[in-house]
């Protein structure tokens, strides 16, 4: 019975945490990280401050958990889209798959940009952000590395790691434009064109 009870508590806590993260995402996207209080997140989620502090030490920890959740999703999307081919990578088809599945949600981009600015002022947070960006870059680099010998990358990019850096930079540039013009379809088209130009000779 004790195990069953523990299972119920764990499930309830996971649900509370997920609902706090969902509420925080909505509030952060609407107001910006620096303008949100713990009370506002609790009110949006329908929980008390006690429930908040049983899951997060503070806003920084919640904010990073939110960022990690979305960053992990993007890394999985990219890795999945790049894993479909065999060693003879079809770059054009892979670019099509990546740009179709990639998360280009403006609310997420607002939150991500807030987090980037916050991390730029805090070396500890910057290190965590760099770790997550490195994971996404490794997913791209590993796939490109497996294709070497079958698919030639432009020499100007150097190795697969250099190509992965270029892919992430293209994504960053496209999403910055999307924040301003709000045109998701144009962003996908532009990203597809950039990635095709970068990864093919």
């Amino acid at each position: 019975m004790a195990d069953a009870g523990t299972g119920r508590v764990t499930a309830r806590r996971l649900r509370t945490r997920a609902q706090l993260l969902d509420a925080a995402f909505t509030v952060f996207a609407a107001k910006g990280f620096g303008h949100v209080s713990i009370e506002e997140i609790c009110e949006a989620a329908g929980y008390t401050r006690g429930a908040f502090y049983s899951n997060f030490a503070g806003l920084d920890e919640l904010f990073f958990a939110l960022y990690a959740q979305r960053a992990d999703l993007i890394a999985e999307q990219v890795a999945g889209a790049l894993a479909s081919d065999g060693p003879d990578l079809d770059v054009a088809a892979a670019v099509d798959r990546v740009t179709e599945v990639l998360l280009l949600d403006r609310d997420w981009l607002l939150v991500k940009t807030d987090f980037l600015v916050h991390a730029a002022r805090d070396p500890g947070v910057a290190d965590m952000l760099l770790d997550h960006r490195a994971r996404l870059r490794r997913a791209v680099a590993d796939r490109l590395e497996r294709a070497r010998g079958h698919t030639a990358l432009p020499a100007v990019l150097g190795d697969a790691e250099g190509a992965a850096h270029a892919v992430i930079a293209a994504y960053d540039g496209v999403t910055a434009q999307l924040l301003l013009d709000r045109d998701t379809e144009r962003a996908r088209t532009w990203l597809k064109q950039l990635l095709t130009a970068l990864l093919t000779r």
Side-chain angles (χ1 to χ4, degrees):
M1 293 297 290
D3 288 344
T6 301
R8 284 195 297 273
V9 169
T10 300
R12 185 167 63 247
R13 180 166 184 172
L14 288 174
R15 185 169 61 251
T16 300
R17 181 182 175 87
Q19 289 171 341
L20 284 166
L21 285 170
D22 286 345
F25 177 77
T26 300
V27 177
F28 283 144
K31 300 186 68 174
F33 175 73
H35 303 284
V36 173
S37 66
I38 290 172
E39 288 77 9
E40 286 175 290
I41 293 170
C42 291
E43 183 179 349
Y47 288 106
T48 63
R49 285 175 63 91
F52 179 95
Y53 284 114
S54 71
N55 286 278
F56 305 102
L59 283 177
D60 275 359
E61 184 178 315
L62 178 144
F63 199 25
F64 187 74
L66 185 62
Y67 178 87
Q69 184 186 68
R70 293 301 202 282
D72 288 348
L73 172 61
I74 290 172
E76 289 166 9
Q77 288 174 330
V78 171
L82 291 174
S84 299
D85 292 317
D88 188 13
L89 180 66
D90 182 338
V91 172
V95 167
D96 281 346
R97 288 194 301 271
V98 168
T99 53
E100 285 303 316
V101 304
L102 197 58
L103 183 67
L104 287 176
D105 175 70
R106 191 170 181 275
D107 284 346
W108 155 240
L109 297 176
L110 287 167
V111 173
K112 185 186 85 159
T113 302
D114 268 347
F115 192 79
L116 177 63
V117 172
H118 179 56
R121 294 189 172 99
D122 186 323
V125 178
D127 286 342
M128 291 189 289
L129 178 56
L130 287 169
D131 284 344
H132 277 268
R133 286 176 66 85
R135 180 186 170 192
L136 177 57
R137 189 173 64 250
R138 281 195 302 271
V140 176
D142 288 350
R143 183 62 189 93
L144 294 174
E145 186 63 39
R146 292 199 305 275
R148 290 186 72 180
H150 303 272
T151 302
L153 293 172
V156 69
L157 295 177
D159 56 9
E161 184 74 13
H165 271 284
V167 168
I168 303 303
Y171 173 74
D172 287 342
V174 167
T175 54
Q177 181 68 25
L178 175 57
L179 278 175
L180 301 176
D181 67 21
R182 304 169 183 253
D183 190 337
T184 303
E185 288 309 309
R186 183 183 178 200
R188 289 195 190 281
T189 300
W190 190 24
L191 184 60
K192 186 181 298 187
Q193 291 169 343
L194 284 174
L195 295 182
T196 301
L198 280 169
L199 298 177
T200 58
R201 289 189 294 179

